[in-house]
Amino acid sequence: MKSKLSNIKKSKYFLDNNHCVGIPTETVYGLAANAYSNTATNKIFKLKNRPKKNPLIVHYYKINDLKKDCEINEIFKILYKKFCPGPLTFVLKLKKNNKISKNVTNGKNSLAVRFPKNKLTRKLLSILKYPLAAPSANISTGISPVSKNDVLEEFGKKLKFILDGGSSNIGLESTIINLINKPKILRLGGIERSKINKIFKKELKYSHIDKKNSVPGQSKLHYSPGIPVKLNVSKPKKHEAFILIKKRKKTYKNYFYLSKTKNLKQAAKNLYKILRLIKNKRYKSISVEKIPNTSFGEAINDRLKRASIK
Ligand code: TXA
Ligand code: MG
């Protein structure tokens, strides 16, 4: 525990000095910086090679901290009680006197916020005097990292410090819900849609292109291993990697299993790990068998679809 504590202190030291730090979360690792600082948040965009028009998610420790920057409403409180800390991101209205850096929001009057569950990151947030802006810790359009090593692979020595919190439990980004006006899901992720619909007692609208609150870059290539990805394939070509949802009796060295038993939660957890492994094994293309579009399968298919855009 002692070394963990000093790693948290090290993270604080770098963050206080306007540097970026890799942080573990239950979804994926984040590339974190002081959300109130222009200098610090600028570095996130530079390191990731991320277009400035793509706004960041801000990570808070507790509601009282969030209230300084954002307006909250009754629906927020209900969802917070049920799912936080956890893999749910809320898009809320910014207060006029908020302290969030303009880099984070691209000058918009809304902010995406979440309360991550990972213990080390929560401890870190509890001792900081500011919230953390943190997109996934990968170079733009690439595969999200789910371990310290993945983050290292993305940024190498360019990143001052990575807080090691083991591998991410969920392995897919948070679900994003817009609570300004009519609640609407903007990104499928760590919380199944059915669980959220249950709270609202109806099917919420889902579209990742939010017309009113348009976020550029949401329909382009993303989560990509940098090689062609083909979906719904039943028979792969001889030399390509083949991703399957369930173990086959007859197996080959180019077969990669998201789960042994078609368990979609486990498949979600393994998705980025397997995409990265295939990329590192230098395969030239990937075929994926049909994945059921239920439960976490929806989010998996969403990511694979974006990875397969040419
Ligand atoms: O699980 C996660 O959410 C991870 C961990 C690190 O917390 N973070 C993450 O961040 O996935 P990122 O930057 O890779 O994805 C954030 C998404 C982007 O698609 C961005 O366009 C959207 O959130 N977003 C950010 N601010 C928004 C806003 N004000 N309105 C609508 N969408 C927003
Ligand atoms: Mg990302």
Side-chain angles (χ1 to χ4, degrees):
M1 193 63 199
K2 207 169 172 201
S3 75
K4 293 240 167 90
L5 257 186
S6 72
N7 282 341
I8 289 170
K9 280 194 180 148
K10 249 189 216 167
S11 307
K12 176 173 160 42
Y13 171 81
F14 286 116
L15 291 165
D16 284 348
N17 285 285
N18 283 333
H19 292 297
C20 292
V21 167
I23 57 163
T25 91
E26 74 281 22
T27 56
V28 300
Y29 271 66
L31 183 66
N34 177 355
Y36 291 160
S37 157
N38 288 331
T39 314
T41 51
N42 235 332
K43 289 181 183 167
I44 294 180
F45 290 89
K46 269 221 169 114
L47 271 170
K48 271 186 69 96
N49 195 18
R50 180 177 176 113
K52 271 275 170 68
K53 58 190 178 187
N54 195 358
L56 306 175
I57 296 177
V58 175
H59 300 63
Y60 286 88
Y61 179 56
K62 51 183 168 41
I63 286 198
N64 278 345
D65 305 330
L66 167 72
K67 275 186 187 160
K68 292 176 196 156
D69 296 318
C70 289
E71 314 261 0
I72 62 165
N73 53 29
E74 284 311 307
I75 297 171
F76 167 81
K77 286 187 205 159
I78 294 168
L79 291 169
Y80 177 88
K81 209 168 162 195
K82 178 89 184 153
F83 298 114
C84 297
L88 185 60
T89 293
F90 308 91
V91 175
L92 300 171
K93 211 168 151 191
L94 271 170
K95 280 189 172 164
K96 281 230 166 73
N97 56 349
N98 75 81
K99 290 206 259 170
I100 299 292
S101 159
K102 292 278 173 286
N103 288 333
V104 170
T105 56
N106 185 29
K108 285 147 59 86
N109 57 7
S110 67
L111 184 69
V113 304
R114 91 174 189 92
F115 302 85
K117 198 172 185 172
N118 178 280
K119 276 200 183 123
L120 297 185
T121 289
R122 269 186 73 71
K123 178 75 197 160
L124 174 63
L125 285 168
S126 78
I127 59 168
L128 296 176
K129 292 202 159 53
Y130 44 82
L132 289 175
S136 51
N138 53 279
I139 309 289
S140 256
T141 76
I143 305 166
S144 303
V146 289
S147 72
K148 179 189 170 180
N149 252 346
D150 294 352
V151 182
L152 205 59
E153 218 174 272
E154 293 288 321
F155 300 109
K157 290 206 173 99
K158 282 191 207 149
L159 187 55
K160 298 260 181 207
F161 192 67
I162 305 166
L163 181 60
D164 189 354
S167 47
S168 296
N169 252 336
I170 292 173
L172 273 186
E173 291 84 352
S174 58
T175 298
I176 304 182
I177 183 166
N178 189 342
L179 294 182
I180 302 174
N181 305 320
K182 223 174 174 183
K184 188 161 141 192
I185 293 175
L186 299 183
R187 178 174 73 184
L188 303 172
I191 292 182
E192 294 154 282
R193 209 139 61 108
S194 58
K195 282 209 174 140
I196 296 173
N197 288 337
K198 215 171 164 184
I199 304 264
F200 286 91
K201 297 196 176 80
K202 65 171 186 189
E203 181 108 352
L204 280 198
K205 234 179 153 183
Y206 161 59
S207 76
H208 66 242
I209 298 168
D210 187 359
K211 280 188 193 124
K212 255 200 186 149
N213 216 345
S214 166
V215 177
Q218 285 204 335
S219 55
K220 300 212 185 87
L221 178 74
H222 211 128
Y223 316 108
S224 162
I227 51 176
V229 176
K230 269 176 295 167
L231 307 181
N232 303 325
V233 175
S234 47
K235 221 171 161 204
K237 294 210 179 99
K238 216 175 170 188
H239 297 293
E240 64 187 3
F242 191 35
I243 296 182
L244 302 102
I245 185 64
K246 185 180 152 196
K247 190 114 188 179
R248 293 248 176 117
K249 267 196 198 124
K250 208 168 171 195
T251 192
Y252 302 91
K253 76 171 192 316
N254 60 330
Y255 281 24
F256 297 85
Y257 297 103
L258 291 174
S259 153
K260 274 186 185 158
T261 56
K262 221 180 191 175
N263 177 323
L264 291 168
K265 194 171 182 180
Q266 192 182 32
K269 183 172 174 171
N270 286 329
L271 178 68
Y272 291 143
K273 201 163 77 182
I274 285 176
L275 285 174
R276 192 173 284 274
L277 178 69
I278 291 171
K279 176 185 162 194
N280 289 343
K281 283 184 181 280
R282 300 187 186 277
Y283 278 92
K284 297 273 190 313
S285 63
I286 303 177
S287 277
V288 188
E289 82 169 340
K290 194 174 167 72
I291 315 270
N293 206 36
T294 54
S295 148
F296 288 103
E298 270 199 306
I300 296 172
N301 281 323
D302 166 75
R303 302 304 191 270
L304 285 171
K305 211 164 146 195
R306 301 279 300 279
S308 72
I309 289 174
K310 285 183 193 121

